[in-house]
Amino acid sequence: MSFKTSAIMLLMGRWDAAARWAPIPLRLIVGYGFMEHGFAKLARGPEAFATILHAIGVPGQHFIAWITVLTEILGGLAVTLGAFVTLVSVPMAAILLVAIFTVHLPYGFSSIKLMAVTAAGATFGQPGYETNVLYLACLAALVLGGSGPLAVDGLIRRRFGDASSETGGWNALKSPAEFIAAWRRRAMRFISPARAAGGQRGRVDESAARGEQAATPAPAPAPRAADQAMHVLIAGGGIGGLTLALSLHQFGIPCTVFEAAAEMKELGVGINVLPHGVRGLAQLGLLPELDRVGIRTHELRYLSHRGQTIWAGKRGLWAGHDTPQVSIHRGRLHSILWRAVKARLPDGALRNDHRLLGTAQDADGVTARFALSGGTVTEVRGAVLVGADGIHSVLRSQLHPDDGGIRWQGVQMWRGAVEWPAFEGGDVMIMTADLLAKLVIYPIAEGRTPATRLTNWVMHGKVATGELPPPRREDWSRPGRLEEVLQFATRLQLPFLDVEALIRATPQYFEYPQCDRDPLPWWSRGRITLLGDAAHPMYPVGSNGASQAILDARCLARLLFELTPEAALKAYEAERLPMTAEIVRSNRSSGPERVMDVVAERAPDGFARLEDVIAPEELAAIVHGYARTAGFADPRQVRCCAGTWQRANWMHFFRGAPDKFRLAPRISGSNASRNRAQWSVKVSITKSEQVGDVSNVQSIFAALRRRRFRCLCHDGCACKRRCTER
């Protein structure tokens, strides 16, 4: 780089830094000018100003005089402090415009004129409207560009968590409607989820208030120059592949989805999307569509095979998350994503009837070969290839030819959905099991009448040992036989539901083996990687399959925007592989649902007191431990050892420190150290606080996140995933 180029870049960098402080002199000039005029009128008495207004024919002279004085003094003070500049600029601009059109122009104050030159010096006339026009320009600059540093507006935004803009301004507010909506969201944080829902559990209406912020799609960043040459190929048009396509489009990265099926069909039955998965879809603007066809799950209950409650917990908004948990028909969710891709991406970005055959890559990109139903083979060139082609992934088998294949422990599943009277409020998910059978049942859509729901059920039954191979792929989705299902259903008793009648009323249901694959040592090679079930197929335990695919997609799209292709795929694997591998292993031992197995083994005839069967600590460790592993732990509970939180720009930390000290005395100023314009703060959590519900600790982390601190936990820290959650 030449000296001239370096000098220009240095000057531009200094100019950018100086431009950030430019609003401050504007605020001082405008604020002082208005306050000086206001105090001058106040010193002479508002009645004197009212007399002038009467002389020029202004009605309501006394009222207008007092309003003008107060506006000039208080408005000038607000502008000087950078407080509510957008709002106070409206009456201040009105005063200037009234002065121009009622005084300056009619009475000849059109310029700053030299009237005469005497021995005493020059004599000038009254200032003209040009001065008022300059004041108007300054106000417009502050409204459009923001009030700058050291402003009350910026402090308010940081205090209430809206840190999208340091300086504020119209760019931060977008519109008056969004300004009102933002403050409404902040107010709703202090209202319980039930009140936010307006008492309508699982409905679409006002219960969206807690999820409204996440429901607003994140603005698509402007694509970098390098992105113009990047084109991502996605093999597989399932939930993960379509979510990735929408996410890449949001980041301005072109992509093409290749789906093997000749046409899109709404297949499958019910699934659950957990709050962290719904958050990703909400950021794509899809939450209203999910609400239209799904049910917001209010509660999850684990019951014994005799219908006794083992554990019950709130879900989604009612558990303190900012987005709901949604129970939905898998085919309808797939249809929502498919239609969104068709509507948002260019023509040709979604291609059916393309089955992946093979790949080849070099330093500049990757070539994928696809087969069409007519026997035609086509090649497509791209910068990155993502295999999102499911548990039978072609790309996975090519990357890992020695993979152990499908794993089956002998559990068969029967899945169906039927219109059924609503039970337990119409938005509760129920699981009940003994050592051989398990039933999962929950509503996935509104029924034809207010008293019914489209109710999804899944019966699990142990039909073989783990030594036998899984059923053939051709037998994975065949119609089920009633006698096979009922031999397991009759083992389970629910006081509020006739399980046998529910199954008999289902017109059609299908059977599937409960299968997964061993976790892979790596997903990515060069410009090729895996996603969703192609990377980490898992047992349908803990409602995690679709959610983890969505998290994969959101993570990969973000990293492809931030990094080069090879670096992005490595970072994606490093972030997502360890967590999903842990979930796969946990699901093999039933995950959080293991509490039902424990109770069935220890109390086959039921129990009088649950505490005599399983200790509360053991129960909490199983249920909450899985939630932490999967990344959707109750935000009101903190399981963290210790972490160092750090952010650049130490002045923001300094200004926010007193508030955090009052909020959390454990954050000690003596532990904060300045290191090249960075401040860090040590947060120590006691052992007792790791076990219980420690809302104060969560408030510490929330305060740090609002001020854009990030956690620098060491690799072995159990809280790392929680602290670095984006």
Side-chain angles (χ1 to χ4, degrees), residues 340-363:
V341 171
K342 292 281 285 186
R344 301 180 189 182
L345 272 65
D347 293 340
L350 188 54
R351 304 182 189 180
N352 289 92
D353 192 24
H354 279 68
R355 180 170 53 86
L356 183 66
L357 292 179
T359 64
Q361 63 173 315
D362 51 40

Side-chain angles (χ1 to χ4, degrees), residues 414-660:
W414 293 266
R415 309 180 72 155
V418 64
E419 184 96 1
W420 196 256
F423 59 87
E424 301 298 291
D427 55 5
V428 174
M429 184 177 185
I430 301 292
M431 296 190 188
T432 179
D434 64 7
L435 295 177
L436 294 179
K438 181 179 75 173
L439 174 67
V440 182
I441 179 172
Y442 52 91
I444 57 175
E446 300 286 348
R448 298 186 183 93
T449 69
T452 61
R453 300 286 186 273
L454 179 60
T455 302
N456 180 81
W457 59 267
V458 185
M459 179 64 67
H460 300 244
K462 186 77 170 178
V463 299
T465 61
E467 290 78 16
L468 295 177
R472 297 177 305 165
R473 181 176 178 180
E474 293 78 9
D475 297 332
W476 276 39
S477 184
R478 67 184 183 185
R481 299 183 179 91
L482 180 63
E483 62 275 11
E484 293 179 350
V485 186
L486 291 183
Q487 66 174 320
F488 296 102
T490 54
R491 301 175 62 92
L492 308 174
Q493 304 170 13
L494 296 178
F496 53 85
L497 181 68
D498 188 336
V499 177
E500 182 176 344
L502 173 74
I503 295 174
R504 289 182 179 276
T506 305
Q508 191 175 35
Y509 43 90
F510 298 89
E511 64 177 50
Y512 307 81
Q514 179 175 281
C515 296
D516 68 357
R517 287 178 181 265
D518 290 334
L520 292 172
W522 50 268
W523 295 348
S524 307
R525 276 295 180 267
R527 293 171 175 262
I528 298 175
T529 193
L530 302 172
L531 181 146
D533 280 350
H536 47 74
M538 57 186 64
Y539 287 167
V541 172
S543 307
N544 246 305
S547 300
Q548 294 302 322
I550 293 169
L551 295 180
D552 287 350
R554 297 296 292 169
C555 173
L556 180 55
R558 169 176 53 82
L559 291 171
L560 284 171
F561 175 76
E562 295 174 352
L563 306 171
T564 61
E566 294 90 341
L569 299 193
K570 290 180 181 178
Y572 160 69
E573 178 182 306
E575 182 171 335
R576 295 294 302 150
L577 189 150
M579 173 183 285
T580 53
E582 190 174 352
I583 296 173
V584 170
R585 288 188 285 267
S586 178
N587 283 7
R588 286 182 173 178
S589 60
S590 297
E593 300 161 19
R594 185 161 54 89
V595 295
M596 296 182 292
D597 298 336
V598 172
V599 171
E601 182 178 10
R602 298 177 185 176
D605 298 324
F607 53 83
R609 295 178 68 252
L610 180 63
E611 295 81 1
D612 297 335
V613 180
I614 183 171
E617 295 78 12
E618 182 182 3
L619 183 64
I622 296 174
V623 176
H624 297 308
Y626 182 84
R628 292 194 301 276
T629 298
F632 65 98
D634 187 337
R636 297 171 300 187
Q637 293 183 332
V638 176
R639 306 292 192 273
C640 182
C641 50
T644 298
W645 295 67
Q646 187 179 78
R647 71 161 291 167
N649 194 346
W650 60 272
M651 290 190 66
H652 288 295
F653 169 67
F654 180 76
R655 289 203 298 271
D659 175 68
K660 293 202 291 293

Side-chain angles (χ1 to χ4, degrees), residues 94-384:
I95 289 176
L96 293 171
L97 292 172
V98 169
I100 289 174
F101 289 103
T102 61
V103 178
H104 291 179
L105 292 178
Y107 291 92
F109 298 159
S110 58
S111 63
I112 302 178
K113 298 178 179 179
L114 178 64
M115 304 298 293
V117 178
T118 65
T123 302
F124 294 92
Q126 294 291 336
Y129 66 83
E130 297 95 332
T131 304
N132 284 11
V133 171
L134 290 174
Y135 274 113
L136 286 171
C138 290
L139 287 175
L142 291 173
V143 170
L144 296 174
S147 49
L150 306 179
V152 174
D153 285 343
L155 178 63
I156 292 174
R157 286 186 179 87
R158 289 191 299 275
R159 176 62 182 87
F160 288 96
D162 184 8
S164 60
S165 173
E166 289 292 331
T167 58
W170 192 255
N171 290 332
L173 296 179
K174 306 290 184 188
S175 67
E178 291 194 13
F179 177 80
I180 295 172
W183 280 95
R184 179 175 178 269
R185 289 194 296 268
R186 292 163 184 161
M188 291 303 295
R189 294 175 186 173
F190 300 98
I191 302 176
S192 67
R195 287 186 60 191
Q200 300 294 318
R201 300 189 312 178
R203 302 298 189 270
V204 178
D205 47 32
E206 289 302 314
S207 64
R210 289 288 301 276
E212 185 176 353
Q213 184 173 9
T216 303
R224 303 165 299 173
D227 292 334
Q228 305 301 326
M230 179 185 291
H231 190 98
V232 178
L233 309 179
I234 304 171
I239 292 173
L242 295 176
T243 303
L244 176 60
L246 292 170
S247 301
L248 290 170
H249 175 72
Q250 188 179 53
F251 281 101
I253 302 175
C255 63
T256 304
V257 180
F258 300 90
E259 168 56 38
E263 59 179 331
M264 200 283 293
K265 296 181 180 180
E266 292 189 357
L267 302 177
V269 230
I271 61 172
N272 261 264
V273 186
L274 297 172
H276 53 356
V278 173
R279 184 180 300 114
L281 298 179
Q283 290 167 350
L284 294 169
L286 299 177
L287 184 56
E289 284 291 298
L290 299 181
D291 280 329
R292 184 177 62 82
V293 299
I295 293 286
R296 293 189 172 196
T297 304
H298 170 259
E299 189 174 83
L300 168 64
R301 299 176 190 170
Y302 295 143
L303 308 180
S304 72
H305 60 289
R306 293 181 175 271
Q308 296 173 289
T309 300
I310 299 173
W311 179 87
K314 304 298 182 183
R315 311 300 281 181
L317 301 178
W318 292 272
H321 294 280
D322 59 351
T323 46
Q325 175 173 324
V326 176
S327 300
I328 190 172
H329 191 288
R330 184 204 174 278
R332 294 178 181 177
L333 172 59
H334 189 212
S335 180
I336 289 172
L337 295 168
W338 188 275
R339 292 196 306 269
V341 171
K342 292 281 285 186
R344 301 180 189 182
L345 272 65
D347 293 340
L350 188 54
R351 304 182 189 180
N352 289 92
D353 192 24
H354 279 68
R355 180 170 53 86
L356 183 66
L357 292 179
T359 64
Q361 63 173 315
D362 51 40
D364 298 323
V366 58
T367 300
R369 292 188 300 113
F370 296 94
L372 282 66
S373 57
T376 305
V377 175
T378 182
E379 291 188 351
V380 184
R381 182 75 174 172
V384 172

